Amino acid sequence: MKLIFAGTPEIAAVALRRLCAVHEVALVVTREDAPVGRKRVITPSPVAQAADDLGLKTIKCNRLSPEIVQEISKTQADLGIVIAFGALIPKSALSAMSWWNLHFSLLPAWRGAAPLQYSMMNLGDGAGISLFELEEGLDTGPIIAQLAMEIDPDKTYGEHLATFTDKGIDLILESLAKRPQASTQRGAASLAPKLSRDNARLDLKQSADLVAAKVMALNPEPVAWATLGNEPFRVLRAKSLGSTNWAELDGVSPEPGRVSMGTGRIVLECGGGTRVELITVQPAGKKEMSAGDWFRGLNKEVILD
């Protein structure tokens, strides 16, 4: 089958390489070269680099102009595949051909830019993969195929993303072979807008399950944080110690935000007397480190806010 491929980050580059092994990719569309790293070096997107390695014709753009839509139409491709392109596919392009989009939730749950992260923060609600046909609405198009997935509380968003990507590419390849009948989305919709640093602040009055889920969902970006002595304190990995009211069992007053050493673990008190084990942290002005190394350097209980 002759395809147009639109995507930008590494997960899309992985998909492009696998699709090229089975189908003809007539044209790749990706975002323009952008500054990367602390030195802000202008760098092609991972998809642009993969397309160059594969010898594929590529258009770099931050929006699909009428001229680019015309170039797409000239290819006479059968279908467009979109994976994290980072820009809207305009009505003119949607009218020219069908486009399938890979989305990391069970639509209509978590429509928007960060579906997998919202699934993780909500303890696996709506976790899965949807392949759907693009239309003008935000992630509202007919479903081509779906696959429910499990969230592992010990894995970060970055680690889940690799797994979801592999399964998603499998779903695309199976659907291209079988061309299943599309079906209307059913159920209650929820939204997953892009996450900012402000969204990443931890609410330590929440239960340990929710605090730990947020930590893991926001690694590697934008990274969960609280404050310690009016300085930002990042938490990169954490593990819930369950729904037990540990404060009641220990006979102490619960104090969300208190960090102490407990049975060889660095524990953070959360809402309802529940506790989280801190695993990897990054104090202000320092590199990330194990919570044990950080706490031994302090050698005293502290309060995160």
Side-chain angles (χ1 to χ4, degrees):
M1 186 175 293
K2 184 186 285 191
L3 305 174
I4 302 293
F5 184 88
T8 299
E10 182 59 34
I11 62 167
V14 172
L16 175 60
R17 292 182 187 278
R18 284 188 58 189
L19 284 168
C20 275
V22 183
H23 297 278
E24 176 188 355
V25 177
L27 178 66
V28 173
V29 184
T30 189
R31 300 274 289 186
E32 294 174 2
D33 298 355
V36 173
R38 290 187 176 183
K39 294 185 178 180
R40 312 302 286 165
V41 177
I42 302 299
T43 306
S45 74
V47 163
Q49 295 176 53
D52 185 56
D53 292 343
L54 294 164
L56 300 174
K57 181 180 179 181
T58 305
I59 292 176
K60 299 178 181 181
C61 62
N62 291 339
R63 72 178 188 91
L64 268 60
S65 66
E67 293 76 19
I68 292 173
V69 173
Q70 189 173 34
E71 284 296 312
I72 289 170
S73 298
K74 285 179 183 178
T75 65
Q76 296 186 319
D78 302 299
L79 183 68
I81 301 291
V82 182
I83 302 177
F85 174 43
L88 292 175
I89 306 297
K91 183 178 180 180
S92 56
L94 297 176
S95 300
M97 60 190 294
S98 293
W99 295 78
W100 288 1
N101 188 78
L102 188 65
H103 187 86
F104 293 143
S105 74
L106 294 176
L107 290 169
W110 309 123
R111 292 172 174 165
L116 176 51
Q117 289 175 295
Y118 277 84
S119 286
M120 291 178 68
M121 288 191 292
N122 287 273
L123 307 180
D125 177 58
I129 301 166
S130 298
L131 182 62
F132 72 98
E133 188 167 346
L134 281 177
E135 57 183 28
E136 286 190 83
L138 175 65
D139 301 333
T140 57
I143 299 295
I144 306 299
Q146 287 187 315
L147 177 67
M149 297 284 286
E150 297 265 337
I151 297 298
D152 183 341
D154 293 327
K155 290 186 177 180
T156 65
Y157 164 65
E159 292 161 347
H160 277 104
L161 189 59
T163 302
F164 275 56
T165 297
D166 285 342
K167 294 293 186 180
I169 300 166
D170 289 343
L171 199 63
I172 292 172
L173 290 170
E174 291 168 8
S175 298
L176 287 171
K178 297 177 181 178
R179 298 303 294 263
Q181 183 73 34
S183 59
T184 303
Q185 293 187 25
R186 299 182 185 280
S190 50
L191 297 179
K194 185 176 180 179
L195 291 158
S196 68
R197 183 178 181 277
D198 288 343
N199 301 136
R201 181 160 190 166
L202 293 170
D203 178 358
L204 300 177
K205 293 180 182 178
Q206 289 186 318
S207 71
D209 286 350
L210 290 174
V211 170
K214 187 168 186 175
V215 168
M216 301 302 276
L218 301 184
N219 180 348
E221 57 181 357
V223 182
W225 62 281
T227 58
L228 176 61
N230 296 319
E231 294 284 349
F233 182 87
R234 303 172 95 194
V235 184
L236 291 93
R237 282 186 181 267
K239 182 181 180 67
S240 171
L241 298 180
S243 58
T244 301
N245 187 333
W246 295 100
E248 185 175 69
L249 284 179
D250 293 344
V252 299
S253 298
E255 188 172 1
R258 179 166 55 196
V259 182
S260 60
M261 175 76 82
T263 61
R265 295 169 167 163
I266 310 304
V267 295
L268 166 66
E269 293 189 27
C270 301
T274 60
R275 291 176 183 172
V276 156
E277 178 186 359
L278 296 178
I279 298 171
T280 308
V281 300
Q282 185 177 15
K286 297 185 178 180
K287 295 181 179 180
E288 64 181 75
M289 62 184 73
S290 75
D293 288 346
W294 163 71
F295 192 80
R296 281 188 287 274
L298 295 176
N299 198 30
K300 63 179 182 180
E301 293 185 0
V302 295
I303 302 292
L304 299 182
D305 185 21

